[in-house]
């Protein structure tokens, strides 16, 4: 099969890989229809985090089940599925509590050996991991498919920020970060009933999408200036929930400072050099909660909302190519020419 | 009036102070019936935190309103009241949201100038701060009065740990710390419906009280050994909520490690040298939330529970004296001979 291969930092190519097959009886193999590039893939692409040379990469995809192991009972060959970026057994205490990314038997793609940006992907623990969508990809528009694809990571991750920060009806929420996750966090906050949503963004095209997704206010500054502006917007009180969707220390400090007393910062950006001032947040009763999003647990409700056209997270894709265009898909995101790149791996019919 | 005076570290004496009077029209003056010594008073007593020499000290008391300012409308002379350790206006956005310790006009006794361990105390912002109890102290037993006194800080603070950690019906909860606050946190966890409560305590008398308050399991080790034991008790999953009631780094690390994925550590011990590992807690989806307890907001429901004999937090007082015994009241707690010292300031009739 053809798949994206990480050659070295800055160099992603399409290469040939052995076709994956069922290894464990709980596996499924999925023929990918659409895949995409994640902000976290860029850590490797930029050389910020090590990644093994000549390895498959990616972890977000939708597709059609091609093979299932003998023990798989909830998905069948031919099923249209969304795969979350982490696999999980669905039966352990953590999975049952909805914390699927803590599953002791689970893991994070591409540790499945195939990555997610290729023609075929072996998905371990298929029963616990894959979620079916009624019908087949041919039944849906490209826009709906893009929105389903967004559920494999960014939309579920944005939702996790809002859930972790306990966004509630009527809340004033601020979203720190205007990447695909931050933009999806706006959708999530609105979906959970936030009345006012302050998007912190300095890029006109992203501000536009933020407004389309439900942001009511834009703050286009950073650091202390941004904190001041949010304070002004909230009459000095701060926000009921701050969604930290970046992972840098600056983003976290901003999120902590703009939070009102008693609020929780929901963080979904993998912390890079983040310092949480224990006494500082204590004195203000500000909390921090978040982590790798248990996307699998959120998929049923989010798929339902996509199919009912209540949310359209696929709009975060502003660059579309095919597997041959993989290098440019990464480059466009790296250079911030694209918010998020979609890879049409095969025809949807 | 007579009041406890902090002379220097290790030396608390009874001295003469001017009788407080109404200064601002929102003040009340309360004649203290019972007061007590807080674990936080010991920081000063032990010289761990600076405190001004020859100053009044203490912040927990119940008593009878003796004077009110012209603007005070919700309490009257002769009312029996519980005073929380922090005063607050009750009308600002933070107070209305129940986060009374964030009130911009508020403050923390003894910054009222009188402390709380004396015959009379000026309470600023009396309408927002004081909560009345039906009848007079003479109508209640010493046990009930002791429980009402416990609401002025430790019970409300233990409750805040449980609220911050979002203890829910059926939860498995661990309480780190067996001081008065930790013991009250057990009451709070049980009150919120926790099914299993693991008390971490190495002192037989405190273990006994923990069990009486609702603990179902005792872990009498510390550090990694304690973490192992809690893991064993929870089948390797960890607890649904960890209540950190100490404030040391060791206690926080224990609380973080025993928390299951997705859980929140509710912390109410003022952090001393606590380091929160941002990436470590992120990868496990463990949160941290807490701070100075908004005791005022919790008083109505807790007073109701004390008067209905549903909770008896006054049992944390295992040493009773009067104002003349103040030095020994501190020494007994400092030397851990007492969990918490109660000062009978005047006869309750």
């Amino acid at each position: 099969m053809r798949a994206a291969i990480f050659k070295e930092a800055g160099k992603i190519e399409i290469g040939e890989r052995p076709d994956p097959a069922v290894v464990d009886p709980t596996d499924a193999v999925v023929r990918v229809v659409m895949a995409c590039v994640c902000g976290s893939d860029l850590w490797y692409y930029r050389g910020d985090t090590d990644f093994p040379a000549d390895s498959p990469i990616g972890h977000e995809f939708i597709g059609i089940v091609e093979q299932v192991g003998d023990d798989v009972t909830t998905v069948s060959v031919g099923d249209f599925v969304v795969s979350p970026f982490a696999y999980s057994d669905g039966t352990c205490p953590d999975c049952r509590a909805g914390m699927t990314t803590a599953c002791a038997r689970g893991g994070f793609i591409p540790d499945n050996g195939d990555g997610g940006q290729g023609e075929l992907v072996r998905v371990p623990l298929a029963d616990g991991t894959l979620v079916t969508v009624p019908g087949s990809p041919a039944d849906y528009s490209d826009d709906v498919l893009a929105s389903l694809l967004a559920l494999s990571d960014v939309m579920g991750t944005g939702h996790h920020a809002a859930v972790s920060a306990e966004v509630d009806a009527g809340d004033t929420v601020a979203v720190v970060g205007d990447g695909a996750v931050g933009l999806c966090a706006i959708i999530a906050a609105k979906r959970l009933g936030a009345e006012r949503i302050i998007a912190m963004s300095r890029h006109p095209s992203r501000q536009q999408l933020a407004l389309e997704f439900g942001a009511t206010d834009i703050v286009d500054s950073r650091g202390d200036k941004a904190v001041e502006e949010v304070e002004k917007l909230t009459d000095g009180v701060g926000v009921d929930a701050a969604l930290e969707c970046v992972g840098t220390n600056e983003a976290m400090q901003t999120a902590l400072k703009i939070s009102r007393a008693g609020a929780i910062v929901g963080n979904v950006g993998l912390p890079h050099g983040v310092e949480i001032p224990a006494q500082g947040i204590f004195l203000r009763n500000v909390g921090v909660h978040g982590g790798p999003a248990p996307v699998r647990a959120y998929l049923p409700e989010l798929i339902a909302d996509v199919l009912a056209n209540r949310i359209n997270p696929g709009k975060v894709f502003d660059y579309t190519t095919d597997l041959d265009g993989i290098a440019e898909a990464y480059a466009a995101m790296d250079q911030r020419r694209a918010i998020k790149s979609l890879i049409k791996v095969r025809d949807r019919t």
Side-chain angles (χ1 to χ4, degrees), chain A residues 23 40 102 179 185 317:
Chain A
V23 177
S40 66
F317 295 108

Side-chain angles (χ1 to χ4, degrees), chain A residues 23-40:
Chain A
V23 177
D24 296 313
T26 49
D27 289 347
V29 173
V30 174
R31 183 166 290 277
V32 176
V33 173
M34 283 181 178
C36 52
V37 181
C38 186
S40 66

